[in-house]
Amino acid sequence: MNVFARIERACARIVEDAFARVFPSALDPAQIGRRLVATAQAGPSDLYLVRVHPSDYARLAPDRDFLEGRWSAMLRETSAAERGAARVVIAEDPAIVAGSLAIEAIVDELGPALVLERSDGTRIAVTSGLTLGRAKENGVVVRDGRASRFHARIVADGAEWFVEDTGSSNGTFIDGTRVTRAPLGAGAILTVGDTSLRIADA
């Protein structure tokens, strides 16, 4: 993506966030679709991560699979042939203003697209550098007294995703086994403190 396209997208995001703060409204699937098409036209990619506020995610989550499928199909219809396999994943992010959204185009995936699933069904996309812990600055905030403030992080290494313990007091576990660094795969259970997150395909 050229520098002008990046500046234009940054300005649009700032304006959208400002309006969302002053005039909050429900984020609708059509609005997300339009933004996805504009993002794909500015810079084709293999995977588009749509980040929304938890309140918007809660409204969209019951139809998540249908919406992700429709958005992905829409991008396949409107994108260049070489990006025919483009996929869309939606995830919650408390840093996003309610009624707004952020779209991250992920090119040349380092590994399979995965998500962390909480017990209530909410999903967080696995991305390199994603951190887990009690502190609100984490990408995955764990409200658990046995979790450290900055407990673990996700990293990409080659074609695989790994979880790394960052010196937590009570350890990080994969399928019940304490690890300092371990690969992540669909179906595994990642435990931080007393909180378990299921690894699933996006």
Side-chain angles (χ1 to χ4, degrees), residues 57-124:
Y57 182 85
R59 282 189 307 99
L60 299 169
D63 301 308
R64 181 189 63 214
D65 291 340
F66 171 76
L67 291 171
E68 289 177 347
R70 288 301 305 138
W71 290 326
S72 298
M74 178 182 64
L75 291 183
R76 287 194 292 271
E77 292 166 5
T78 59
S79 299
E82 64 269 20
R83 293 297 180 183
R87 291 182 300 116
V88 177
V89 174
I90 187 168
E92 64 175 331
D93 184 345
I96 302 299
V97 178
S100 183
L101 73 152
I103 298 176
E104 180 181 354
I106 301 173
V107 182
D108 297 327
E109 291 181 66
L110 298 175
L114 299 174
V115 294
L116 301 176
E117 285 190 348
R118 296 182 187 268
S119 58
D120 64 2
T122 58
R123 306 191 313 171
I124 303 100

Short mmCIF file of all heavy atoms in Angstrom, two decimals, residues 57-124:
data_model
loop_
_atom_site.label_atom_id
_atom_site.label_comp_id
_atom_site.label_asym_id
_atom_site.label_seq_id
_atom_site.Cartn_x
_atom_site.Cartn_y
_atom_site.Cartn_z
N TYR A 57 -19.36 -6.56 19.20
CA TYR A 57 -19.08 -7.98 18.96
C TYR A 57 -20.20 -8.85 19.54
O TYR A 57 -20.62 -9.82 18.91
CB TYR A 57 -17.74 -8.37 19.60
CG TYR A 57 -17.38 -9.82 19.35
CD1 TYR A 57 -16.72 -10.19 18.19
CD2 TYR A 57 -17.71 -10.80 20.27
CE1 TYR A 57 -16.41 -11.52 17.94
CE2 TYR A 57 -17.41 -12.13 20.03
CZ TYR A 57 -16.75 -12.48 18.87
OH TYR A 57 -16.47 -13.80 18.64
N ALA A 58 -20.69 -8.48 20.73
CA ALA A 58 -21.75 -9.27 21.37
C ALA A 58 -23.01 -9.32 20.50
O ALA A 58 -23.70 -10.34 20.44
CB ALA A 58 -22.08 -8.69 22.74
N ARG A 59 -23.31 -8.21 19.80
CA ARG A 59 -24.48 -8.19 18.91
C ARG A 59 -24.27 -9.04 17.67
O ARG A 59 -25.18 -9.69 17.18
CB ARG A 59 -24.80 -6.76 18.48
CG ARG A 59 -25.51 -5.91 19.51
CD ARG A 59 -25.98 -4.58 18.92
NE ARG A 59 -24.93 -3.85 18.25
CZ ARG A 59 -24.72 -3.82 16.94
NH1 ARG A 59 -25.50 -4.51 16.13
NH2 ARG A 59 -23.74 -3.11 16.42
N LEU A 60 -23.04 -9.03 17.15
CA LEU A 60 -22.75 -9.71 15.89
C LEU A 60 -22.40 -11.18 16.09
O LEU A 60 -22.56 -11.99 15.16
CB LEU A 60 -21.60 -9.00 15.17
CG LEU A 60 -21.86 -7.54 14.78
CD1 LEU A 60 -20.55 -6.89 14.32
CD2 LEU A 60 -22.90 -7.44 13.68
N ALA A 61 -21.92 -11.54 17.28
CA ALA A 61 -21.41 -12.89 17.52
C ALA A 61 -22.39 -14.02 17.21
O ALA A 61 -21.97 -15.05 16.67
CB ALA A 61 -20.91 -13.01 18.96
N PRO A 62 -23.69 -13.89 17.52
CA PRO A 62 -24.60 -15.01 17.21
C PRO A 62 -24.64 -15.37 15.72
O PRO A 62 -24.93 -16.52 15.37
CB PRO A 62 -25.96 -14.49 17.68
CG PRO A 62 -25.63 -13.51 18.75
CD PRO A 62 -24.38 -12.83 18.28
N ASP A 63 -24.35 -14.41 14.85
CA ASP A 63 -24.35 -14.66 13.40
C ASP A 63 -22.93 -14.59 12.82
O ASP A 63 -22.77 -14.41 11.61
CB ASP A 63 -25.23 -13.62 12.70
CG ASP A 63 -26.67 -13.66 13.20
OD1 ASP A 63 -27.25 -14.76 13.20
OD2 ASP A 63 -27.18 -12.60 13.59
N ARG A 64 -21.94 -14.76 13.69
CA ARG A 64 -20.54 -14.57 13.29
C ARG A 64 -20.15 -15.43 12.09
O ARG A 64 -19.57 -14.93 11.12
CB ARG A 64 -19.64 -14.88 14.48
CG ARG A 64 -18.15 -14.71 14.24
CD ARG A 64 -17.40 -15.26 15.43
NE ARG A 64 -17.64 -16.69 15.55
CZ ARG A 64 -17.72 -17.34 16.71
NH1 ARG A 64 -17.61 -16.69 17.83
NH2 ARG A 64 -17.93 -18.64 16.73
N ASP A 65 -20.42 -16.73 12.14
CA ASP A 65 -20.01 -17.62 11.06
C ASP A 65 -20.64 -17.21 9.73
O ASP A 65 -19.98 -17.20 8.68
CB ASP A 65 -20.37 -19.07 11.38
CG ASP A 65 -19.54 -19.63 12.53
OD1 ASP A 65 -18.47 -19.06 12.81
OD2 ASP A 65 -19.97 -20.62 13.15
N PHE A 66 -21.94 -16.88 9.77
CA PHE A 66 -22.64 -16.45 8.56
C PHE A 66 -22.02 -15.16 8.01
O PHE A 66 -21.75 -15.04 6.81
CB PHE A 66 -24.12 -16.23 8.84
CG PHE A 66 -24.87 -15.58 7.71
CD1 PHE A 66 -25.22 -16.31 6.58
CD2 PHE A 66 -25.19 -14.23 7.77
CE1 PHE A 66 -25.90 -15.69 5.52
CE2 PHE A 66 -25.87 -13.61 6.72
CZ PHE A 66 -26.22 -14.35 5.60
N LEU A 67 -21.80 -14.17 8.91
CA LEU A 67 -21.27 -12.88 8.47
C LEU A 67 -19.86 -13.01 7.91
O LEU A 67 -19.55 -12.44 6.85
CB LEU A 67 -21.29 -11.89 9.65
CG LEU A 67 -22.67 -11.44 10.12
CD1 LEU A 67 -22.56 -10.66 11.41
CD2 LEU A 67 -23.36 -10.61 9.04
N GLU A 68 -19.00 -13.76 8.61
CA GLU A 68 -17.64 -13.94 8.10
C GLU A 68 -17.66 -14.61 6.73
O GLU A 68 -16.88 -14.25 5.83
CB GLU A 68 -16.82 -14.77 9.09
CG GLU A 68 -16.48 -14.03 10.37
CD GLU A 68 -15.73 -14.88 11.37
OE1 GLU A 68 -15.68 -16.12 11.19
OE2 GLU A 68 -15.19 -14.32 12.35
N GLY A 69 -18.56 -15.57 6.56
CA GLY A 69 -18.68 -16.25 5.27
C GLY A 69 -19.14 -15.31 4.16
O GLY A 69 -18.62 -15.32 3.04
N ARG A 70 -20.15 -14.48 4.48
CA ARG A 70 -20.68 -13.54 3.47
C ARG A 70 -19.63 -12.48 3.13
O ARG A 70 -19.46 -12.13 1.95
CB ARG A 70 -21.96 -12.87 3.98
CG ARG A 70 -23.16 -13.76 4.03
CD ARG A 70 -23.51 -14.34 2.66
NE ARG A 70 -23.69 -13.29 1.67
CZ ARG A 70 -23.23 -13.35 0.43
NH1 ARG A 70 -22.54 -14.41 0.01
NH2 ARG A 70 -23.44 -12.36 -0.41
N TRP A 71 -18.97 -11.92 4.15
CA TRP A 71 -17.94 -10.91 3.88
C TRP A 71 -16.80 -11.50 3.05
O TRP A 71 -16.30 -10.87 2.13
CB TRP A 71 -17.40 -10.33 5.18
CG TRP A 71 -18.35 -9.48 5.93
CD1 TRP A 71 -19.30 -8.63 5.42
CD2 TRP A 71 -18.46 -9.36 7.36
NE1 TRP A 71 -19.98 -8.01 6.43
CE2 TRP A 71 -19.48 -8.43 7.63
CE3 TRP A 71 -17.79 -9.95 8.42
CZ2 TRP A 71 -19.86 -8.08 8.93
CZ3 TRP A 71 -18.16 -9.61 9.72
CH2 TRP A 71 -19.17 -8.69 9.97
N SER A 72 -16.38 -12.74 3.38
CA SER A 72 -15.31 -13.39 2.63
C SER A 72 -15.73 -13.61 1.18
O SER A 72 -14.95 -13.35 0.25
CB SER A 72 -14.95 -14.73 3.28
OG SER A 72 -14.47 -14.55 4.60
N ALA A 73 -16.97 -14.07 0.97
CA ALA A 73 -17.47 -14.28 -0.39
C ALA A 73 -17.52 -12.97 -1.16
O ALA A 73 -17.19 -12.92 -2.36
CB ALA A 73 -18.85 -14.93 -0.33
N MET A 74 -17.93 -11.90 -0.49
CA MET A 74 -18.01 -10.59 -1.12
C MET A 74 -16.62 -10.14 -1.59
O MET A 74 -16.48 -9.63 -2.71
CB MET A 74 -18.58 -9.58 -0.12
CG MET A 74 -18.69 -8.16 -0.63
SD MET A 74 -19.31 -7.06 0.65
CE MET A 74 -17.99 -7.19 1.86
N LEU A 75 -15.60 -10.37 -0.75
CA LEU A 75 -14.25 -9.99 -1.14
C LEU A 75 -13.74 -10.85 -2.29
O LEU A 75 -13.04 -10.35 -3.18
CB LEU A 75 -13.29 -10.10 0.05
CG LEU A 75 -13.51 -9.08 1.17
CD1 LEU A 75 -12.46 -9.25 2.25
CD2 LEU A 75 -13.49 -7.66 0.63
N ARG A 76 -14.11 -12.12 -2.30
CA ARG A 76 -13.70 -12.99 -3.42
C ARG A 76 -14.32 -12.52 -4.73
O ARG A 76 -13.72 -12.62 -5.78
CB ARG A 76 -14.08 -14.44 -3.13
CG ARG A 76 -13.20 -15.10 -2.08
CD ARG A 76 -13.39 -16.60 -2.06
NE ARG A 76 -14.71 -17.00 -1.59
CZ ARG A 76 -15.00 -17.22 -0.31
NH1 ARG A 76 -14.08 -17.07 0.61
NH2 ARG A 76 -16.22 -17.59 0.04
N GLU A 77 -15.52 -11.99 -4.65
CA GLU A 77 -16.22 -11.52 -5.85
C GLU A 77 -15.67 -10.19 -6.35
O GLU A 77 -15.74 -9.89 -7.55
CB GLU A 77 -17.71 -11.37 -5.56
CG GLU A 77 -18.42 -12.70 -5.32
CD GLU A 77 -19.80 -12.51 -4.71
OE1 GLU A 77 -20.23 -11.35 -4.57
OE2 GLU A 77 -20.43 -13.52 -4.36
N THR A 78 -15.13 -9.38 -5.44
CA THR A 78 -14.70 -8.03 -5.82
C THR A 78 -13.19 -7.88 -5.90
O THR A 78 -12.71 -6.82 -6.32
CB THR A 78 -15.24 -6.99 -4.82
OG1 THR A 78 -14.76 -7.31 -3.50
CG2 THR A 78 -16.75 -6.98 -4.82
N SER A 79 -12.43 -8.93 -5.51
CA SER A 79 -10.97 -8.83 -5.49
C SER A 79 -10.36 -9.45 -6.73
O SER A 79 -11.00 -10.18 -7.47
CB SER A 79 -10.40 -9.51 -4.23
OG SER A 79 -10.88 -8.89 -3.07
N ALA A 80 -9.08 -9.17 -6.89
CA ALA A 80 -8.33 -9.76 -8.00
C ALA A 80 -8.26 -11.27 -7.83
O ALA A 80 -8.31 -11.79 -6.73
CB ALA A 80 -6.92 -9.16 -8.05
N ALA A 81 -8.10 -11.97 -8.96
CA ALA A 81 -8.13 -13.43 -8.95
C ALA A 81 -7.08 -14.03 -8.02
O ALA A 81 -7.30 -15.03 -7.37
CB ALA A 81 -7.93 -13.96 -10.37
N GLU A 82 -5.91 -13.39 -7.93
CA GLU A 82 -4.84 -13.97 -7.12
C GLU A 82 -5.16 -13.91 -5.63
O GLU A 82 -4.52 -14.55 -4.81
CB GLU A 82 -3.49 -13.29 -7.40
CG GLU A 82 -3.41 -11.81 -7.03
CD GLU A 82 -3.81 -10.92 -8.19
OE1 GLU A 82 -4.48 -11.40 -9.10
OE2 GLU A 82 -3.41 -9.74 -8.17
N ARG A 83 -6.15 -13.11 -5.23
CA ARG A 83 -6.55 -13.04 -3.83
C ARG A 83 -7.91 -13.70 -3.63
O ARG A 83 -8.67 -13.33 -2.76
CB ARG A 83 -6.62 -11.57 -3.37
CG ARG A 83 -5.25 -10.90 -3.34
CD ARG A 83 -4.33 -11.57 -2.33
NE ARG A 83 -3.04 -10.91 -2.32
CZ ARG A 83 -2.01 -11.30 -1.60
NH1 ARG A 83 -2.10 -12.37 -0.85
NH2 ARG A 83 -0.88 -10.64 -1.63
N GLY A 84 -8.21 -14.69 -4.47
CA GLY A 84 -9.51 -15.34 -4.42
C GLY A 84 -9.80 -16.05 -3.12
O GLY A 84 -10.94 -16.39 -2.84
N ALA A 85 -8.77 -16.34 -2.32
CA ALA A 85 -8.98 -17.07 -1.07
C ALA A 85 -9.05 -16.14 0.13
O ALA A 85 -8.93 -16.58 1.26
CB ALA A 85 -7.85 -18.09 -0.87
N ALA A 86 -9.24 -14.85 -0.09
CA ALA A 86 -9.28 -13.89 1.01
C ALA A 86 -10.36 -14.27 2.02
O ALA A 86 -11.46 -14.67 1.65
CB ALA A 86 -9.55 -12.49 0.47
N ARG A 87 -10.02 -14.16 3.31
CA ARG A 87 -10.95 -14.51 4.38
C ARG A 87 -11.08 -13.35 5.35
O ARG A 87 -10.17 -12.54 5.49
CB ARG A 87 -10.48 -15.76 5.13
CG ARG A 87 -10.56 -17.02 4.30
CD ARG A 87 -10.13 -18.25 5.06
NE ARG A 87 -8.76 -18.14 5.52
CZ ARG A 87 -8.41 -18.10 6.80
NH1 ARG A 87 -9.31 -18.13 7.75
NH2 ARG A 87 -7.15 -18.01 7.14
N VAL A 88 -12.20 -13.34 6.05
CA VAL A 88 -12.49 -12.29 7.04
C VAL A 88 -12.71 -12.95 8.40
O VAL A 88 -13.42 -13.95 8.51
CB VAL A 88 -13.74 -11.48 6.65
CG1 VAL A 88 -14.07 -10.44 7.72
CG2 VAL A 88 -13.55 -10.82 5.29
N VAL A 89 -12.10 -12.38 9.44
CA VAL A 89 -12.28 -12.84 10.81
C VAL A 89 -12.64 -11.63 11.66
O VAL A 89 -11.99 -10.58 11.56
CB VAL A 89 -11.01 -13.52 11.37
CG1 VAL A 89 -11.18 -13.86 12.84
CG2 VAL A 89 -10.66 -14.77 10.57
N ILE A 90 -13.67 -11.74 12.47
CA ILE A 90 -14.07 -10.65 13.36
C ILE A 90 -13.67 -10.99 14.79
O ILE A 90 -13.77 -12.14 15.22
CB ILE A 90 -15.59 -10.36 13.26
CG1 ILE A 90 -15.94 -9.09 14.05
CG2 ILE A 90 -16.41 -11.55 13.70
CD1 ILE A 90 -17.34 -8.58 13.78
N ALA A 91 -13.17 -10.00 15.52
CA ALA A 91 -12.72 -10.21 16.89
C ALA A 91 -13.03 -8.98 17.73
O ALA A 91 -13.14 -7.87 17.20
CB ALA A 91 -11.23 -10.51 16.93
N GLU A 92 -13.18 -9.17 19.04
CA GLU A 92 -13.45 -8.04 19.93
C GLU A 92 -12.15 -7.38 20.36
O GLU A 92 -11.13 -8.04 20.50
CB GLU A 92 -14.25 -8.49 21.15
CG GLU A 92 -13.54 -9.48 22.05
CD GLU A 92 -14.34 -9.79 23.29
OE1 GLU A 92 -15.11 -8.94 23.75
OE2 GLU A 92 -14.17 -10.88 23.82
N ASP A 93 -12.22 -6.06 20.55
CA ASP A 93 -11.06 -5.29 20.98
C ASP A 93 -11.56 -4.10 21.79
O ASP A 93 -12.16 -3.18 21.24
CB ASP A 93 -10.26 -4.82 19.77
CG ASP A 93 -8.98 -4.10 20.14
OD1 ASP A 93 -8.83 -3.72 21.32
OD2 ASP A 93 -8.12 -3.92 19.26
N PRO A 94 -11.33 -4.11 23.11
CA PRO A 94 -11.83 -3.01 23.94
C PRO A 94 -11.23 -1.64 23.61
O PRO A 94 -11.77 -0.61 24.01
CB PRO A 94 -11.45 -3.43 25.38
CG PRO A 94 -10.62 -4.64 25.27
CD PRO A 94 -10.67 -5.15 23.87
N ALA A 95 -10.14 -1.63 22.85
CA ALA A 95 -9.52 -0.36 22.47
C ALA A 95 -10.28 0.34 21.35
O ALA A 95 -10.07 1.53 21.09
CB ALA A 95 -8.07 -0.58 22.05
N ILE A 96 -11.18 -0.37 20.68
CA ILE A 96 -11.96 0.22 19.59
C ILE A 96 -13.18 0.93 20.15
O ILE A 96 -13.84 0.42 21.06
CB ILE A 96 -12.41 -0.87 18.59
CG1 ILE A 96 -11.19 -1.61 18.02
CG2 ILE A 96 -13.25 -0.28 17.46
CD1 ILE A 96 -10.23 -0.75 17.25
N VAL A 97 -13.49 2.11 19.64
CA VAL A 97 -14.66 2.86 20.07
C VAL A 97 -15.93 2.14 19.65
O VAL A 97 -16.02 1.65 18.52
CB VAL A 97 -14.64 4.28 19.46
CG1 VAL A 97 -15.89 5.07 19.88
CG2 VAL A 97 -13.38 5.02 19.87
N ALA A 98 -16.91 2.04 20.54
CA ALA A 98 -18.19 1.41 20.20
C ALA A 98 -18.80 2.11 19.00
O ALA A 98 -18.82 3.34 18.93
CB ALA A 98 -19.14 1.46 21.39
N GLY A 99 -19.30 1.35 18.04
CA GLY A 99 -19.87 1.92 16.83
C GLY A 99 -18.86 2.12 15.73
O GLY A 99 -19.21 2.49 14.61
N SER A 100 -17.58 1.87 16.03
CA SER A 100 -16.51 2.02 15.05
C SER A 100 -15.87 0.65 14.82
O SER A 100 -16.30 -0.35 15.37
CB SER A 100 -15.48 3.03 15.56
OG SER A 100 -14.48 3.25 14.60
N LEU A 101 -14.84 0.61 13.98
CA LEU A 101 -14.14 -0.64 13.72
C LEU A 101 -12.75 -0.34 13.19
O LEU A 101 -12.47 0.78 12.76
CB LEU A 101 -14.90 -1.50 12.71
CG LEU A 101 -14.89 -1.05 11.24
CD1 LEU A 101 -15.04 -2.25 10.32
CD2 LEU A 101 -16.01 -0.05 10.97
N ALA A 102 -11.89 -1.35 13.24
CA ALA A 102 -10.56 -1.27 12.64
C ALA A 102 -10.36 -2.54 11.84
O ALA A 102 -10.76 -3.62 12.28
CB ALA A 102 -9.49 -1.12 13.71
N ILE A 103 -9.78 -2.41 10.67
CA ILE A 103 -9.52 -3.56 9.82
C ILE A 103 -8.03 -3.67 9.58
O ILE A 103 -7.38 -2.71 9.16
CB ILE A 103 -10.26 -3.45 8.47
CG1 ILE A 103 -11.78 -3.40 8.70
CG2 ILE A 103 -9.90 -4.64 7.58
CD1 ILE A 103 -12.59 -3.19 7.45
N GLU A 104 -7.49 -4.84 9.87
CA GLU A 104 -6.07 -5.11 9.67
C GLU A 104 -5.92 -6.12 8.54
O GLU A 104 -6.49 -7.21 8.61
CB GLU A 104 -5.45 -5.66 10.95
CG GLU A 104 -3.98 -5.96 10.85
CD GLU A 104 -3.42 -6.53 12.14
OE1 GLU A 104 -4.15 -6.59 13.15
OE2 GLU A 104 -2.24 -6.94 12.13
N ALA A 105 -5.21 -5.74 7.49
CA ALA A 105 -4.95 -6.64 6.37
C ALA A 105 -3.68 -7.42 6.66
O ALA A 105 -2.61 -6.84 6.83
CB ALA A 105 -4.80 -5.85 5.07
N ILE A 106 -3.80 -8.73 6.76
CA ILE A 106 -2.67 -9.59 7.09
C ILE A 106 -2.25 -10.32 5.82
O ILE A 106 -2.99 -11.15 5.30
CB ILE A 106 -3.04 -10.59 8.21
CG1 ILE A 106 -3.47 -9.82 9.46
CG2 ILE A 106 -1.87 -11.51 8.52
CD1 ILE A 106 -4.01 -10.68 10.56
N VAL A 107 -1.05 -10.00 5.32
CA VAL A 107 -0.54 -10.58 4.09
C VAL A 107 0.48 -11.66 4.42
O VAL A 107 1.25 -11.53 5.36
CB VAL A 107 0.11 -9.50 3.20
CG1 VAL A 107 0.61 -10.10 1.89
CG2 VAL A 107 -0.87 -8.38 2.94
N ASP A 108 0.47 -12.72 3.62
CA ASP A 108 1.42 -13.81 3.80
C ASP A 108 1.38 -14.33 5.22
O ASP A 108 2.30 -14.17 6.01
CB ASP A 108 2.86 -13.35 3.48
CG ASP A 108 3.00 -12.95 2.02
OD1 ASP A 108 2.33 -13.57 1.18
OD2 ASP A 108 3.78 -12.04 1.74
N GLU A 109 0.28 -14.94 5.59
CA GLU A 109 0.12 -15.50 6.92
C GLU A 109 1.31 -16.38 7.27
O GLU A 109 1.77 -17.17 6.48
CB GLU A 109 -1.15 -16.36 6.98
CG GLU A 109 -2.42 -15.59 6.88
CD GLU A 109 -3.60 -16.53 6.96
OE1 GLU A 109 -3.79 -17.14 8.03
OE2 GLU A 109 -4.30 -16.66 5.97
N LEU A 110 1.77 -16.26 8.52
CA LEU A 110 2.89 -17.07 8.97
C LEU A 110 2.42 -18.44 9.42
O LEU A 110 3.20 -19.37 9.53
CB LEU A 110 3.61 -16.35 10.12
CG LEU A 110 4.22 -15.00 9.73
CD1 LEU A 110 4.81 -14.32 10.94
CD2 LEU A 110 5.29 -15.21 8.68
N GLY A 111 1.17 -18.59 9.69
CA GLY A 111 0.64 -19.86 10.13
C GLY A 111 -0.85 -19.88 9.88
O GLY A 111 -1.41 -18.92 9.38
N PRO A 112 -1.52 -20.99 10.21
CA PRO A 112 -2.96 -21.04 10.01
C PRO A 112 -3.66 -20.00 10.87
O PRO A 112 -3.19 -19.68 11.96
CB PRO A 112 -3.32 -22.47 10.44
CG PRO A 112 -2.22 -22.86 11.38
CD PRO A 112 -0.99 -22.20 10.86
N ALA A 113 -4.76 -19.44 10.37
CA ALA A 113 -5.51 -18.45 11.14
C ALA A 113 -6.20 -19.15 12.30
O ALA A 113 -6.97 -20.08 12.12
CB ALA A 113 -6.53 -17.76 10.25
N LEU A 114 -5.88 -18.71 13.52
CA LEU A 114 -6.44 -19.30 14.73
C LEU A 114 -7.13 -18.23 15.57
O LEU A 114 -6.85 -17.04 15.42
CB LEU A 114 -5.34 -19.97 15.57
CG LEU A 114 -4.55 -21.11 14.94
CD1 LEU A 114 -3.43 -21.54 15.86
CD2 LEU A 114 -5.47 -22.28 14.62
N VAL A 115 -7.99 -18.67 16.47
CA VAL A 115 -8.61 -17.78 17.44
C VAL A 115 -8.54 -18.42 18.82
O VAL A 115 -8.42 -19.64 18.94
CB VAL A 115 -10.09 -17.47 17.10
CG1 VAL A 115 -10.21 -16.67 15.82
CG2 VAL A 115 -10.91 -18.75 17.03
N LEU A 116 -8.62 -17.57 19.85
CA LEU A 116 -8.76 -18.04 21.22
C LEU A 116 -10.24 -17.89 21.57
O LEU A 116 -10.80 -16.81 21.43
CB LEU A 116 -7.93 -17.18 22.18
CG LEU A 116 -6.41 -17.12 21.93
CD1 LEU A 116 -5.76 -16.16 22.92
CD2 LEU A 116 -5.80 -18.50 22.06
N GLU A 117 -10.87 -18.96 22.03
CA GLU A 117 -12.28 -18.93 22.39
C GLU A 117 -12.43 -18.96 23.91
O GLU A 117 -11.91 -19.85 24.58
CB GLU A 117 -13.03 -20.13 21.80
CG GLU A 117 -13.28 -20.00 20.33
CD GLU A 117 -14.23 -21.09 19.81
OE1 GLU A 117 -14.49 -22.06 20.55
OE2 GLU A 117 -14.70 -20.95 18.68
N ARG A 118 -13.14 -17.95 24.44
CA ARG A 118 -13.46 -17.94 25.86
C ARG A 118 -14.62 -18.89 26.13
O ARG A 118 -15.31 -19.34 25.20
CB ARG A 118 -13.84 -16.53 26.30
CG ARG A 118 -12.73 -15.48 26.19
CD ARG A 118 -13.24 -14.14 26.71
NE ARG A 118 -12.33 -13.05 26.49
CZ ARG A 118 -11.41 -12.66 27.37
NH1 ARG A 118 -11.28 -13.30 28.51
NH2 ARG A 118 -10.62 -11.63 27.11
N SER A 119 -14.88 -19.16 27.41
CA SER A 119 -15.96 -20.07 27.77
C SER A 119 -17.33 -19.54 27.37
O SER A 119 -18.26 -20.30 27.16
CB SER A 119 -15.94 -20.36 29.28
OG SER A 119 -16.07 -19.14 30.00
N ASP A 120 -17.46 -18.20 27.23
CA ASP A 120 -18.75 -17.62 26.83
C ASP A 120 -18.92 -17.56 25.31
O ASP A 120 -19.90 -17.03 24.80
CB ASP A 120 -18.94 -16.23 27.43
CG ASP A 120 -17.91 -15.22 26.92
OD1 ASP A 120 -17.07 -15.59 26.07
OD2 ASP A 120 -17.95 -14.06 27.37
N GLY A 121 -17.93 -18.11 24.57
CA GLY A 121 -18.04 -18.16 23.12
C GLY A 121 -17.38 -17.00 22.39
O GLY A 121 -17.26 -17.04 21.16
N THR A 122 -16.96 -15.96 23.09
CA THR A 122 -16.29 -14.84 22.41
C THR A 122 -14.93 -15.31 21.91
O THR A 122 -14.29 -16.17 22.51
CB THR A 122 -16.13 -13.62 23.33
OG1 THR A 122 -15.39 -14.01 24.49
CG2 THR A 122 -17.47 -13.07 23.74
N ARG A 123 -14.51 -14.72 20.80
CA ARG A 123 -13.27 -15.14 20.16
C ARG A 123 -12.32 -13.96 19.98
O ARG A 123 -12.74 -12.85 19.70
CB ARG A 123 -13.55 -15.77 18.79
CG ARG A 123 -14.54 -16.90 18.82
CD ARG A 123 -14.59 -17.66 17.51
NE ARG A 123 -14.67 -16.79 16.35
CZ ARG A 123 -14.54 -17.22 15.10
NH1 ARG A 123 -14.34 -18.49 14.85
NH2 ARG A 123 -14.64 -16.38 14.08
N ILE A 124 -11.04 -14.24 20.13
CA ILE A 124 -9.99 -13.25 19.92
C ILE A 124 -9.04 -13.81 18.88
O ILE A 124 -8.53 -14.94 19.04
CB ILE A 124 -9.23 -12.91 21.21
CG1 ILE A 124 -10.18 -12.43 22.31
CG2 ILE A 124 -8.15 -11.86 20.95
CD1 ILE A 124 -10.53 -13.46 23.32
#
